[in-house]
Amino acid sequence: MAISERPSGSLWTEFDPGPEYPPLHEDIRVDVAVVGGGIAGICAAWELARAGRQVALVEADRIARGVTGHTSAKVSALQGTAYSRIRSSRGADAARLYAASQADAVRHVVEVSRELGVDCDLERVPAYTYVSDAARSEDIRSEAVAAAEAGLAVSFLENTDLPVPAAAAVRLDDQVQFHPRKYLLALASDFVERGGTIVERTRVTGLDEGDPCRLTTTAGRTVEARHVVVCTHYPIFDRALLFTRLAPIREIVVAGPLPPGCGEPAGMLLTEDEGTRSVRTAPRGSRGRMLIVTGEKFTPGGNDGASTAGFDRLERWAQEHFEGFTATRRWAAQDTFSTDHVPYVGRLHPLTRRVHVATGFGGWGMSGGVMASRLLTERITGGSSPWADLYDPVRLRPHDAPKAVKLWAKTAAHLVADRLPGGRAASVDDIPPGGGAVVRGPHGGLHAVYRDASGSLRRLSARCTHLGCIVHFNEAETTWECPCHGSRFDVDGNLLQGPAVRPLEQLAGDDTG
């Protein structure tokens, strides 16, 4: 069976959708408005409500179903070769603060689960970062040294019993794998019991930074708040020019039953070989366990695309190492990466004390989101966090300038090159059923055209509604994606993922090619 015929969708989002919260139907005023209902937003709202603040959580779709609903759901302070990179880019003190903040997040998830009695399939397991090539063993030894110097109780292994070829590995015990939606829906329920307000299917479109701040929404209603927390993955309000310091990346995930008799990973595995391979398992009741494998990174809207070949490569890798494995689910996750490998958590820009942001988790949004919620709560309630300066979004360091310039140059290149005559345009006649392409319209504009299974065409403006870059078609996920900042749209132009806040413009035209 071809991979395109296999059932798709995240393993986590098939779980009970939970109660539906109403859209915003009247103007409201609260102490804190949290924008975005993923792990960072839900945890921040819950922490602030527990601290006695009146909080409203505003989500454009359904809570815990976006980026958080498509994660691999690892909560770990061991994050690939993060400590080697941070020590190199920010110094040893920064690595120590990073390790302390991430370890604190792991402990906090366990404590909150116990406090609320949450059944979220939480398991304490070791995390491993390994290499298959013996020539790279010293890279892992260096990471073990950097992580140990940062304060983590890691061990360096040259002989392992992992179910994958590993020439060397670094191990950190007592990390966490869990079901993210079960955990977050429990927090959301407790948040409401504490007097919090959850608003779903209401997209925030504007922000007035007065006192109080004022959010405008697609519902035509407003939210006023003394503080605003922006947890929309890629910030929808970019008043600190974060788009020059954030790179959106998507990553493929395949999952399926762990074959009987197959060696089960004794924890969570990660290698940066072959463009990253990440492995964990999850319980599936009396039916054994599910194997979840992540890898094959790509830029949203990039010319490499999320092709079916990427899913095939990842599944073949899983089959090579776990004999008899067949993927029954497939999806892709998206995250943003900062220029110095450290997230941005704190004030949105230098002139504000009331608008805060959490972004740039670099593939580690579970621990990062929990860390961010605790840091922002301290900031808003007048406390202090030992790692606030480490994550400060307005940090500007000469070391980061070349990477920021490179990101901006990439955006500028797309803004110009994708509009050149001949560029990427294709003939409508060449678009197969189920396919899409950017074509030149009769008056020279660029149209994003999709042909459905019946042959009918759907025409949209190809200009992303964020900053005007030209979207590209992702054939594996049947979506339009912006290569500049990662906004994603369905074939009808509806917004799936920001930083855009408006759908693609629909265009008139013949409905057949």
Side-chain angles (χ1 to χ4, degrees):
M1 180 167 61
I3 192 142
S4 59
E5 298 172 336
R6 294 193 178 106
S8 2
S10 164
L11 178 66
W12 318 123
T13 56
E14 71 180 8
F15 176 67
D16 178 4
E20 289 207 28
Y21 297 99
L24 188 64
H25 61 271
E26 62 181 358
D27 298 342
I28 60 174
R29 186 166 184 169
V30 292
D31 296 327
V32 187
V34 178
V35 185
I39 187 166
I42 293 173
C43 289
W46 182 79
E47 296 282 356
L48 287 160
R50 190 167 67 158
R53 298 304 188 266
Q54 186 180 10
V55 185
L57 174 66
V58 185
E59 164 57 35
D61 191 9
R62 302 293 309 281
I63 62 170
R65 290 188 67 88
V67 173
T68 294
H70 292 78
T71 176
S72 60
K74 293 179 173 182
V75 192
S76 176
L78 183 64
Q79 303 173 1
T81 55
Y83 296 98
S84 300
R85 294 195 302 268
I86 294 171
R87 186 174 64 175
S88 174
S89 66
R90 298 287 300 271
D93 287 344
R96 282 192 288 272
L97 288 169
Y98 189 84
S101 66
Q102 299 296 308
D104 176 77
V106 175
R107 288 191 297 269
H108 195 61
V109 168
V110 176
E111 291 167 359
V112 171
S113 297
R114 291 172 179 167
E115 176 185 335
L116 300 184
V118 181
D119 180 9
C120 58
D121 302 334
L122 189 148
E123 298 173 325
R124 303 301 300 270
V125 296
Y128 296 86
T129 297
Y130 74 93
V131 290
S132 301
D133 184 355
R136 294 193 58 220
S137 294
E138 284 307 307
D139 294 341
I140 292 300
R141 188 187 297 275
S142 295
E143 178 61 19
V145 170
E149 290 180 351
L152 298 180
V154 297
S155 53
F156 174 72
L157 308 173
E158 291 185 288
N159 297 301
T160 74
D161 57 357
L162 300 178
V164 293
V170 55
R171 169 175 169 153
L172 180 62
D173 290 332
D174 293 327
Q175 303 307 287
V176 167
Q177 57 187 19
F178 72 156
H179 192 302
R181 277 182 50 77
K182 290 181 179 180
Y183 179 78
L184 291 174
L185 291 180
L187 259 64
S189 177
D190 190 69
F191 168 68
V192 171
E193 289 183 10
R194 293 175 184 269
T197 299
I198 297 179
V199 175
E200 290 186 324
R201 305 189 193 280
T202 302
R203 189 174 298 279
V204 171
T205 57
L207 167 64
D208 179 348
E209 292 188 49
D211 184 11
C213 298
R214 187 169 181 265
L215 296 169
T216 55
T217 71
T218 51
R221 301 294 184 176
T222 63
V223 180
E224 291 187 348
R226 293 276 292 169
H227 291 270
V228 171
V229 177
V230 181
C231 297
T232 56
H233 183 58
Y234 202 114
I236 57 173
F237 308 120
D238 202 358
R239 298 171 189 186
L241 297 181
L242 286 176
F243 66 86
T244 65
R245 294 182 285 145
L246 284 172
I249 298 292
R250 287 185 75 71
E251 193 167 16
I252 289 171
V253 186
V254 297
L258 186 70
C262 195
E264 180 180 343
M268 302 180 293
L269 316 182
L270 175 67
T271 180
E272 295 174 359
D273 294 346
E274 301 182 68
T276 302
R277 293 292 185 262
S278 171
V279 180
R280 64 156 289 191
T281 61
R284 54 194 296 256
S286 61
R287 298 175 296 166
R289 297 185 70 84
M290 291 287 284
L291 181 70
I292 303 167
V293 182
T294 309
E296 297 293 329
K297 292 177 177 156
F298 60 93
T299 300
N303 291 329
D304 47 354
S307 66
T308 54
F311 286 103
D312 287 340
R313 282 193 297 271
L314 192 61
E315 185 169 350
R316 280 197 300 272
W317 184 92
Q319 289 170 339
E320 288 171 5
H321 298 92
F322 300 92
E323 185 177 357
F325 171 78
T326 299
T328 56
R329 306 197 73 81
R330 65 184 181 99
W331 67 90
Q334 187 159 314
D335 207 347
T336 51
F337 290 70
S338 71
T339 53
D340 64 357
H341 312 294
V342 175
Y344 301 119
V345 183
R347 52 187 172 156
L348 180 62
H349 59 81
L351 301 180
T352 186
R353 295 172 56 190
R354 303 189 185 281
V355 183
H356 318 266
V357 69
T359 187
F361 296 120
W364 296 96
M366 297 294 97
S367 57
V370 174
M371 174 279 300
S373 72
R374 288 166 65 71
L375 191 160
L376 292 175
T377 297
E378 290 286 347
R379 183 179 184 87
I380 291 169
T381 59
S384 62
S385 169
W387 36 81
D389 288 344
L390 171 69
Y391 292 104
D392 189 352
V394 303
R395 63 185 186 264
L396 294 174
R397 304 170 60 254
H399 179 85
D400 300 329
K403 295 179 181 178
V405 170
K406 184 177 180 180
L407 286 173
W408 173 245
K410 174 185 171 185
T411 298
H414 279 294
L415 284 167
V416 175
D418 287 351
R419 288 168 168 77
L420 293 176
R424 298 179 58 257
S427 168
V428 170
D429 296 336
D430 295 332
I431 301 175
V438 174
V439 304
R440 295 203 169 271
H443 304 293
L446 292 176
H447 296 185
V449 182
Y450 170 74
R451 187 188 298 276
D452 66 21
S454 70
S456 296
L457 300 178
R458 306 181 200 182
R459 299 174 185 266
L460 306 165
S461 168
R463 286 171 52 90
C464 176
T465 56
H466 178 224
L467 293 180
C469 291
I470 302 304
V471 298
H472 296 201
F473 189 66
N474 176 337
E475 64 179 11
E477 298 180 80
T478 319
T479 52
W480 296 105
E481 298 177 349
C482 175
C484 294
H485 306 110
S487 295
R488 304 177 62 246
F489 308 84
D490 69 17
V491 293
D492 293 316
N494 298 311
L495 181 61
L496 299 174
Q497 191 163 1
V501 296
R502 291 177 287 114
L504 294 178
E505 178 188 357
Q506 297 202 11
L507 301 176
D510 295 338
D511 64 355
T512 57

